[in-house]
Amino acid sequence: MVEHDALSATREAYDAAASVYAQLFRGELRDRPLDRAILNAFAEVVSAGGDGQVADLGCGPGHITAYLDELGLAVFGVDASPAMIELARQAYPALRFDVGSMTATDIADGVLGGVLSRWSIIHTPPRELPVILAEFHRVLAPGGHLLIGFSATDDPFHPTQVFDHAVAPAYRWSPDHLAAMLGESGFAEVARMVRQPQPTDRRQFEEIHLLARKA
């Protein structure tokens, strides 16, 4: 019940904030060369593995989905917020966007070459995260890749920390703890990128991208 209430509250909050969110973040990659680099690396390893589709889970208004499409991936977006999906469809009519939950996607077993989860787990109550990681594993083909982005804790001995997110309650994660959870869910870590906060960033948190492969 707690997890269901959290998902419902997050969906409603993002529905209300969708237009503002899209305006704020649609051009975010322009000034983030490291983010572009890790997305480019993700696209390369997925492409090297074959022609499998890629799901951008928690796609928001679709701008990262569109970037992966520009990199040549067969990508589609999924988000729990109908308002976000409507904005994505309007902005990128040539791409596919579906309303759905990361806990139970409408995707067949083992059909994807890649899954992107870019800051889409931050609103997930910690005890629910294994369910989502298991879903990521289920939909990926053997050897498929997951790229997961999140904000890091200040103290590595604390697996999670709550922080004051503008839209909904959110969590930061210890990178090592989350990497261990990926291992328990059937993934092998390939690489990680740690981005230090810039002086102009509103939140002074380390940003982490973990690249993992389905074993």
Side-chain angles (χ1 to χ4, degrees), residues 115-191:
V115 167
L116 175 66
S117 170
R118 182 180 166 84
W119 273 262
S120 57
I121 65 162
I122 64 170
H123 302 296
T124 302
R127 65 180 180 180
E128 180 70 5
L129 187 59
V131 175
I132 291 176
L133 297 183
E135 184 69 358
F136 292 168
H137 189 271
R138 181 188 69 79
V139 298
L140 278 168
H145 284 81
L146 166 68
L147 180 61
I148 187 166
F150 55 97
S151 296
T153 57
D154 295 325
D155 184 347
F157 296 103
H158 285 81
T160 62
Q161 290 176 324
V162 177
F163 72 95
D164 184 20
H165 191 278
V167 178
Y171 304 87
R172 293 188 281 159
W173 287 84
S174 159
D176 289 340
H177 181 75
L178 189 45
M181 292 182 68
L182 287 172
E184 293 167 0
S185 299
F187 291 97
E189 182 179 348
V190 175

Side-chain angles (χ1 to χ4, degrees), residues 4-84:
H4 182 270
D5 289 347
L7 175 60
S8 298
T10 300
R11 179 190 300 116
E12 292 171 3
Y14 272 100
D15 278 347
S19 296
V20 173
Y21 186 97
Q23 292 173 5
L24 286 175
F25 291 100
R26 186 159 285 154
E28 66 170 320
L29 290 180
R30 181 175 55 249
D31 300 320
R32 287 178 166 253
L34 294 178
D35 287 29
R36 295 197 304 271
I38 194 66
L39 289 169
N40 291 356
F42 172 68
E44 285 193 32
V45 296
V46 170
S47 296
D51 298 325
Q53 284 190 309
V54 173
D56 179 4
L57 300 181
C59 66
H63 55 298
I64 305 298
T65 318
Y67 183 77
L68 294 179
D69 174 70
E70 292 173 2
L71 295 178
L73 296 179
V75 61
F76 63 96
V78 178
D79 200 276
S81 165
M84 286 289 194

Side-chain angles (χ1 to χ4, degrees), residues 89-100:
R89 288 169 176 168
Q90 291 173 8
Y92 311 105
L95 299 180
R96 170 187 160 194
F97 294 98
D98 300 326
V99 177

